[in-house]
């Protein structure tokens, strides 16, 4: 290539870089001037149910009109089928004391239960609770749900991991943002009407996420859901979102809470 052609080539690349920089700057300016539309909600309690105060809730979901719950802590981790009305445990899997159970979900008849730092996801038959095997998870396990095709997982960061349910390999990652800022500590998940709902660990709020873009389109303020009169020294944070597909009813609870609540959203 001649010296003249080299100069022209470098000049073209430089112009392209300048154009890209301008586009990025303009994009940032537009986001600043016109931030994304966020819907804010509070809640109305429709009904309360008994909940095991000893249950350190990590995952909560309905399957075939039955309520299931995964519970953490070393030495007391379990997965349960619960009676909604009474809070009674109908069926239970107890995990070895070396495992800290986390989020859980069902896909194609298989139950998936994450472990926190043990790099394992246990697989069971949801009808019989029969152990089927385990999958390797290279990161931490926090929340778990499914869109009907992939597993969707959090690891405490601002990222949603979309996983192959057969191999647990990462299909894609989606960064979650609220007005352009990462939303850290994403925890328990529920897939509702094409959106991912996530507890934010240590915060009394739930974010509603577009799973394609990662943008938060709604925030649910859950402060004071559990009254102070029902709290004690062991009461921990809000964690647990379940939507019953049969009637779209929504349920929330927390770690070591004595109550589970059926709620409806109230838009601000």
């Amino acid at each position: 290539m001649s010296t003249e052609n080299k100069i022209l080539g470098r000049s073209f690349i430089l112009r392209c870089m300048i154009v890209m920089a301008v586009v990025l700057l303009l994009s940032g300016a537009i986001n600043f001037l016109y931030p994304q539309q966020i819907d804010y909600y509070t809640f109305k309690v429709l009904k309360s149910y008994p909940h095991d105060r000893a249950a350190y809730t990590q995952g909560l979901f309905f399957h075939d009109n039955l309520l299931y719950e995964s519970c953490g802590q070393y030495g007391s981790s379990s997965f349960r089928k619960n009676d909604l009305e009474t809070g009674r445990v109908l069926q239970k899997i107890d995990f070895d004391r070396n495992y800290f159970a986390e989020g859980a979900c069902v896909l194609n008849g298989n139950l998936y239960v994450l472990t926190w730092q043990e790099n394992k996801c246990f697989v069971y038959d949801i009808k019989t609770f029969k152990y089927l095997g385990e999958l390797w998870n290279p990161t931490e396990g926090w929340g778990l749900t499914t869109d009907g095709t992939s597993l969707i997982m959090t690891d405490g960061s601002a990222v949603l991991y979309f996983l192959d349910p057969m191999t647990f390999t990462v299909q894609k990652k989606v960064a979650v943002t609220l007005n352009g800022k990462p939303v850290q500590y994403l925890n328990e998940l529920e897939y509702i009407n094409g959106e991912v709902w996530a507890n934010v660990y240590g915060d009394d709020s739930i974010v509603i996420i577009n799973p394609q873009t990662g943008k938060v389109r709604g925030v649910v303020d859950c402060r004071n859901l559990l009254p102070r009169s029902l709290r004690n020294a062991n009461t921990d944070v809000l964690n647990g979102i379940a939507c019953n597909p049969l009637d779209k009813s929504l349920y929330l609870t927390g770690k070591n809470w004595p109550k589970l609540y059926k709620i409806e959203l109230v838009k601000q």
Side-chain angles (χ1 to χ4, degrees):
M1 181 183 292
S2 68
T3 301
E4 181 179 358
N5 286 338
K6 286 181 180 179
I7 292 173
L8 289 173
R10 289 172 183 170
S11 176
F12 175 76
I13 292 171
L14 180 60
R15 288 197 299 271
C16 288
M17 292 176 66
I18 291 171
V19 169
M20 289 176 64
V22 170
V23 168
L24 289 172
L25 285 172
L26 287 175
S27 175
I30 290 170
N31 287 334
F32 176 77
L33 293 172
Y34 304 101
Q36 67 190 77
Q37 179 62 45
I38 309 296
D39 293 325
Y40 290 92
Y41 303 90
T42 55
F43 59 88
K44 177 183 178 182
V45 173
L46 303 178
K47 189 174 180 180
S48 67
Y49 304 86
H51 182 254
D52 182 3
R53 194 187 280 274
Y56 193 77
T57 306
Q58 302 289 73
L60 192 72
F61 63 88
F62 281 88
H63 177 69
D64 289 343
N65 206 32
L66 293 169
L67 180 65
Y68 294 90
E69 181 178 27
S70 56
C71 305
Q73 299 289 23
Y74 290 110
S76 59
S77 286
S78 66
F79 180 80
R80 309 166 175 199
K81 180 197 295 182
N82 296 332
D83 180 76
L84 174 63
E85 294 293 335
T86 66
R88 187 167 62 93
V89 177
L90 304 175
Q91 195 173 358
K92 187 180 179 186
I93 299 169
D94 288 310
F95 294 96
D96 185 273
R97 65 179 301 104
N98 295 320
Y99 295 109
F100 192 119
E102 285 277 352
C105 72
V106 171
L107 178 59
N108 297 327
N110 290 335
L111 164 67
Y112 298 85
V113 184
L114 292 174
T115 59
W116 179 28
Q117 295 182 319
E118 292 72 53
N119 302 112
K120 292 183 179 181
C121 178
F122 294 112
V123 186
Y124 299 84
D125 183 294
I126 187 59
K127 290 184 178 179
T128 64
F129 280 21
K130 178 183 177 182
Y131 174 78
L132 299 178
E134 59 188 56
L135 298 165
W136 172 257
N137 178 19
T139 184
E140 290 188 0
W142 285 45
L144 193 67
T145 190
T146 177
D147 59 7
T149 302
S150 302
L151 300 175
I152 306 173
M153 185 186 75
T154 55
D155 65 354
S157 68
V159 174
L160 295 177
Y161 294 81
F162 289 74
L163 308 168
D164 185 308
M166 299 300 294
T167 63
F168 225 67
T169 54
V170 177
Q171 298 169 326
K172 66 175 180 177
K173 299 178 185 180
V174 176
V176 177
T177 60
L178 176 58
N179 279 329
K181 296 181 179 179
V183 182
Q184 301 287 347
Y185 305 113
L186 297 174
N187 199 10
E188 214 271 304
L189 301 176
E190 184 81 345
Y191 191 82
I192 305 174
N193 296 329
E195 298 176 311
V196 176
W197 292 44
N199 282 118
V200 180
Y201 181 72
D203 193 355
D204 289 329
S205 66
I206 293 168
V207 290
I208 304 172
I209 306 161
N210 181 320
Q212 281 74 47
T213 65
K215 291 183 178 181
V216 172
R217 75 92 182 152
V219 178
V220 186
D221 182 351
C222 298
R223 287 176 294 180
N224 304 316
L225 176 58
L226 182 69
R228 289 187 178 275
S229 60
L230 295 180
R231 296 175 179 266
N232 64 19
N234 293 322
T235 304
D236 214 311
V237 298
L238 176 80
N239 201 55
I241 309 167
C243 179
N244 191 338
L246 291 185
D247 60 4
K248 304 300 182 183
S249 52
L250 185 63
Y251 300 80
L252 304 178
T253 191
K255 301 173 185 290
N256 303 132
W257 283 25
K259 294 290 184 180
L260 178 145
Y261 296 95
K262 181 179 180 179
I263 71 154
E264 66 178 14
L265 297 187
V266 177
K267 193 171 181 178
Q268 296 291 86

